[in-house]
Amino acid sequence: MYIQYTMDQLCLPMDLEEDIPLNHLVRVVNEAVNKLDDAIFDAAYPGGGRDSYHPKMLTKVIIYAYTQRVYASRQIAKAVRENIMFMWIAGRQRPDFRTINRFRSERIKDVLEAVFTAVLQFLADENYVQLENYFVDGTKIEANANRYTFVWGKAVVKHKAKLQEKVQTLFATIEETEKQEEKTHGSGDLRELGEASQMTSEKLELAVKQLEARLQEKPKNKPLKKAVRTLRKDFLPRLQKYEAHEEVLGNRNSYSKTDKDATFMRMKEDHMRNGQLKPGYNVQMGTENQFILGYSVHQRPTDTRCLIPHLEKVKSQLGKLPSTVIADAGYGGEENYDYLERNETEAIVKYSTYHREKSKGWQKDISKIDNWTYDAEQDTWTCAAGQTLVFRRVSKEKTESGYEIEYRHYRSASCEGCPLKPQCTKAQGNREVKVSLNYVRLKNQAREKLRSEEGYKLAVRRMIEPEPVFGDIKNNRGFKRFLLRGLPKVSLEVGWLSLAHNLLKKAAINAKSKGVKHRQVA
């Protein structure tokens, strides 16, 4: 009546591998990590102490866990004890969650990029990627930080300025009441400290010590005693706090108190739909055939300034840059174009006005110098009304990264009486323009490449390259918020995600190709 059922009988085979399908993803992970040279992990294990778990075993376990949407170290440790796939790939060993977390976020910090590069080389050797066309884009992922414990750069500057005004006012009051004491304090008196253009905590500390020395001479001076107490207990700690905030902020405009490396950014995943800023990181990835070729994590919300640091990291990993970089308008700019040209990399990168230039409104707008004529020999511009704008002077500006842009200024001889002036400019005098000729040249090159047949194909293909990868990571595998804190550990998480994604993609392609072969045979 029933199939015989007993839990006391020993069953064969006892090898777990017998229960794992031949084309299972766990075998792909196992095969890829087994190809790694053991010497890659030497930097993570200086030696000494008790024997460690084999780094290949832990690497396999974590990569496979990330492919299965298991990210928490306790959940990974539980799977190693209970899940047959994890048990097999771990060789029936049972590392606890502390060991897994320590390996993932600390032990392998100097090794993971080498592991990623080695796996990428395996994919290239098997013709999954060619490392030629590099499609780059960015996405923002929320940090593991409190959304409401924030520090804003503008607020710090504002409060610090108000505090310095109060300090200077207090010093002026003290000096007014104790003018007779000025001569005894030499050149470093309080008035000079109070009138300093930038009051630092070190200067304020020195001033407080001088006041405390005066107070020793006149212990019954109540106004002086009150001033010293206010400076020591209130003003000095507040100024030290503001300086600490500025040091953490650096060039950023905000940070989270619970993850000081995280910057507040506007996320697409806005469940409240109110445009609320959240602490997060800007993750840059480059793909080919939807395999991740390179990754980097940035604290800057905008993509423009992330391209060069990202490509520098890719260059250090691969030894060279891909032959062609394809990106959207968020990356277009003189500094980025110039960097790609100097590195002999073809740039299929749109600039901010690329699509607007195709509209009739833009082409008929006589105020745009794109619709004017430039004479390179005479170094002049001719506007729509036929007026010639001659060269006047040169100015230079430096970007935040230190890149210098040279602008040439041109001015019309006379715009008085011109019937087209209301459409050309709102300025009262003659029309003047500021132009970077280098940027004009680079934009023309980019426009020509984008409108070529090959450039157009790559620009269209970009739409199905990085974005599906981000969608797979965020939606299919549910990774919308980092588990670790701090830029170094967050970068490691992105590395694990990238490894898991590439092996998932490889397994999917293998399964699809084998399915096609089976159908053809049938």
Side-chain angles (χ1 to χ4, degrees):
M1 184 176 181
Y2 300 111
I3 298 175
Q4 184 179 1
Y5 167 72
T6 177
M7 297 176 63
D8 300 325
Q9 183 176 346
L10 183 64
C11 297
L12 296 176
M14 297 177 64
D15 188 358
L16 293 176
E17 187 175 2
E18 295 294 331
D19 293 327
I20 299 176
L22 291 176
N23 299 325
H24 199 277
L25 172 62
V26 74
R27 292 185 182 272
V28 176
V29 174
N30 181 63
E31 179 187 4
V33 177
N34 279 341
K35 289 181 179 180
L36 297 175
D37 189 346
D38 288 351
I40 291 178
F41 299 96
D42 289 347
Y45 292 87
R50 59 166 291 182
D51 291 342
S52 304
Y53 285 107
H54 201 289
K56 282 190 175 180
M57 181 273 289
L58 292 170
T59 301
K60 293 176 186 177
V61 167
I62 295 174
I63 292 177
Y64 184 65
Y66 273 62
T67 66
Q68 302 303 299
R69 300 183 56 164
V70 180
Y71 306 114
S73 56
R74 284 180 171 83
Q75 294 298 318
I76 298 174
K78 182 182 179 184
V80 169
R81 297 192 304 268
E82 299 177 356
N83 188 298
I84 187 173
M85 306 302 175
F86 282 91
M87 292 167 66
W88 175 72
I89 206 169
R92 298 213 183 209
Q93 295 181 1
R94 295 184 176 184
D96 62 15
F97 74 93
R98 292 185 184 87
T99 301
I100 292 170
N101 194 48
R102 193 180 302 116
F103 179 82
R104 171 176 64 174
S105 60
E106 296 177 13
R107 173 78 74 175
I108 204 169
K109 61 183 178 182
D110 298 324
V111 178
L112 187 61
E113 290 185 6
V115 173
F116 176 82
T117 304
V119 172
L120 189 61
Q121 187 60 54
F122 299 153
L123 295 174
D125 293 341
E126 297 175 14
N127 293 322
Y128 289 97
V129 294
Q130 286 72 46
L131 304 178
E132 293 179 357
N133 297 324
Y134 192 82
F135 300 86
V136 63
D137 204 352
T139 188
K140 297 177 181 66
I141 299 180
E142 189 175 350
N144 180 12
N146 191 312
R147 297 172 182 172
Y148 307 104
T149 56
F150 41 74
V151 174
W152 299 106
K154 291 183 180 179
V156 171
V157 172
K158 176 182 175 183
H159 294 317
K160 184 180 177 182
K162 288 184 177 180
L163 177 62
Q164 291 194 356
E165 288 179 9
K166 291 181 180 180
V167 171
Q168 292 174 6
T169 302
L170 181 59
F171 282 161
T173 303
I174 296 171
E175 290 295 337
E176 187 67 28
T177 58
E178 297 194 359
K179 286 182 180 180
Q180 66 276 16
E181 297 288 338
E182 290 182 7
K183 295 180 181 180
T184 63
H185 290 276
S187 60
D189 63 10
L190 296 177
R191 176 169 294 179
E192 291 177 359
L193 289 168
E195 292 176 353
S197 59
Q198 184 64 245
M199 172 63 71
T200 65
S201 59
E202 289 81 6
K203 290 181 180 179
L204 186 57
E205 178 73 35
L206 177 61
V208 172
K209 288 180 179 178
Q210 291 182 8
L211 286 174
E212 288 173 340
R214 291 190 189 188
L215 192 59
Q216 291 292 329
E217 300 172 3
K218 296 183 177 182
K220 294 184 179 181
N221 189 331
K222 291 185 178 179
L224 185 59
K225 185 182 292 186
K226 181 179 179 182
V228 170
R229 184 170 58 249
T230 301
L231 287 167
R232 177 64 71 183
K233 301 293 184 182
D234 183 16
F235 289 178
L236 182 58
R238 283 167 58 190
L239 185 57
Q240 290 171 338
K241 182 181 72 172
Y242 296 147
E243 288 178 347
H245 286 329
E246 288 179 330
E247 185 177 356
V248 174
L249 281 165
N251 295 325
R252 295 182 291 162
N253 59 7
S254 64
Y255 75 85
S256 171
K257 291 181 179 179
T258 46
D259 182 357
K260 294 182 179 180
D261 287 346
T263 306
F264 278 79
M265 306 177 182
R266 201 173 303 280
M267 306 284 180
K268 288 183 179 179
E269 297 80 14
D270 185 7
H271 62 283
M272 296 294 289
R273 297 183 180 179
N274 58 359
Q276 180 185 19
L277 299 177
K278 299 175 186 175
Y281 294 92
N282 188 348
V283 179
Q284 298 288 314
M285 286 185 176
T287 68
E288 184 186 10
N289 299 331
Q290 296 184 6
F291 285 93
I292 299 173
L293 305 186
Y295 64 88
S296 60
V297 183
H298 306 265
Q299 298 170 291
R300 188 183 303 278
T302 55
D303 291 335
T304 309
R305 301 293 183 204
C306 296
L307 181 64
I308 294 176
H310 173 76
L311 292 179
E312 280 295 303
K313 182 182 178 183
V314 172
K315 187 177 179 180
S316 66
Q317 287 180 326
L318 303 181
K320 63 176 183 177
L321 288 178
S323 57
T324 306
V325 171
I326 304 97
D328 63 11
Y331 298 89
E334 180 178 343
E335 185 175 1
N336 291 341
Y337 285 138
D338 191 48
Y339 171 84
L340 292 169
E341 184 178 58
R342 284 187 282 107
N343 283 273
E344 300 179 351
T345 300
E346 188 173 2
I348 310 296
V349 181
K350 297 177 183 177
Y351 45 90
S352 58
T353 59
Y354 176 72
H355 290 292
R356 281 185 286 165
E357 286 178 356
K358 298 178 180 179
S359 65
K360 291 183 179 179
W362 180 282
Q363 295 171 1
K364 292 181 180 180
D365 190 346
I366 63 172
S367 67
K368 309 293 184 185
I369 64 168
D370 298 290
N371 298 323
W372 295 2
T373 303
Y374 177 67
D375 187 334
E377 293 184 2
Q378 301 295 324
D379 192 17
T380 59
W381 290 86
T382 304
C383 69
Q387 288 284 343
T388 300
L389 285 80
V390 297
F391 170 73
R392 303 283 294 184
R393 62 188 178 90
V394 172
S395 66
K396 295 182 179 180
E397 295 180 9
K398 282 191 175 182
T399 65
E400 191 177 315
S401 61
Y403 179 80
E404 189 174 78
I405 300 176
E406 181 180 284
Y407 289 104
R408 299 179 68 81
H409 295 253
Y410 302 83
R411 185 185 294 173
S412 171
S414 176
C415 293
E416 187 177 352
C418 177
L420 299 180
K421 184 178 179 181
Q423 304 172 41
C424 182
T425 180
K426 295 181 181 179
Q428 296 297 321
N430 297 328
R431 179 71 192 271
E432 184 173 341
V433 295
K434 182 177 74 171
V435 185
S436 169
L437 294 182
N438 187 44
Y439 186 38
V440 171
R441 177 183 65 83
L442 293 169
K443 275 177 61 178
N444 290 335
Q445 288 181 3
R447 185 187 300 113
E448 184 178 347
K449 291 175 183 177
L450 286 162
R451 292 180 179 176
S452 67
E453 184 178 353
E454 182 63 23
Y456 179 76
K457 288 180 179 178
L458 290 173
V460 171
R461 181 179 162 190
R462 189 202 64 81
M463 302 176 188
I464 58 169
E465 277 285 347
E467 290 295 345
V469 174
F470 296 147
D472 179 64
I473 291 173
K474 288 186 172 182
N475 296 311
N476 295 348
R477 287 189 278 135
F479 195 93
K480 297 182 180 181
R481 193 169 189 255
F482 288 110
L483 279 76
L484 306 178
R485 293 180 178 178
L487 186 60
K489 292 185 178 181
V490 165
S491 298
L492 289 174
E493 273 197 280
V494 176
W496 289 114
L497 280 169
S498 301
L499 279 167
H501 173 84
N502 284 349
L503 295 181
L504 267 170
K505 186 70 179 175
K506 179 179 185 296
I509 292 175
N510 291 347
K512 185 175 181 180
S513 62
K514 289 178 180 179
V516 170
K517 289 179 181 178
H518 289 323
R519 285 196 297 272
Q520 289 175 347
V521 171

